[in-house]
Amino acid sequence: MSEHDAVNTANATAARAAGWPELTGSPKQIDWATTVRADKIREMEASTPPGVDWYREVMLRETSAGVWIDSRNHPWQAQFLGCVTDEEMEALKAKAVQDAASEQ
């Protein structure tokens, strides 16, 4: 087993234990994307946005291994924006406006 295989297996085990949705794609894509997804979630958690659980929940909506792989070189926020609904985006915008107004 290669080092990459061991990392992918560890990330897959952790994802299952956490109850994360299964990814779709070819077996090789799923192995790779499982690690990409775990890395992006860790990156997001390290930035500690308010409501970190909600951000994780939104990001985990994406179950396509190909999408996770394609976004591997982008910041976690790009993945998040691809998963957020229009209604959620409008709520985020409204909160940002409200927060900005209260700071003045």
Side-chain angles (χ1 to χ4, degrees):
M1 179 183 285
S2 76
E3 180 181 337
H4 293 292
D5 291 337
V7 169
N8 292 342
T9 298
N11 282 317
T13 300
R16 278 191 299 279
W20 291 4
E22 293 291 323
L23 295 172
T24 60
S26 72
K28 284 189 169 237
Q29 282 181 316
I30 291 170
D31 288 347
W32 186 12
T34 297
T35 294
V36 171
R37 178 175 68 174
D39 290 346
K40 290 294 172 201
I41 296 294
R42 283 191 287 269
E43 180 185 335
M44 180 273 301
E45 290 170 340
S47 71
T48 59
V52 69
D53 291 336
W54 178 72
Y55 280 83
R56 182 185 317 106
E57 178 184 314
V58 168
M59 291 173 66
L60 290 174
R61 291 178 192 159
E62 181 57 66
T63 59
S64 168
V67 170
W68 283 102
I69 291 167
D70 290 345
S71 68
R72 70 189 178 279
N73 294 322
H74 301 293
W76 71 265
Q77 294 92 336
Q79 182 65 37
F80 171 79
L81 290 174
C83 297
V84 70
T85 66
D86 291 340
E87 293 82 18
E88 291 166 333
M89 181 59 72
E90 291 306 314
L92 285 171
K93 288 177 187 176
K95 181 168 180 356
V97 168
Q98 181 182 24
D99 290 350
S102 68
E103 289 178 6
Q104 295 179 3

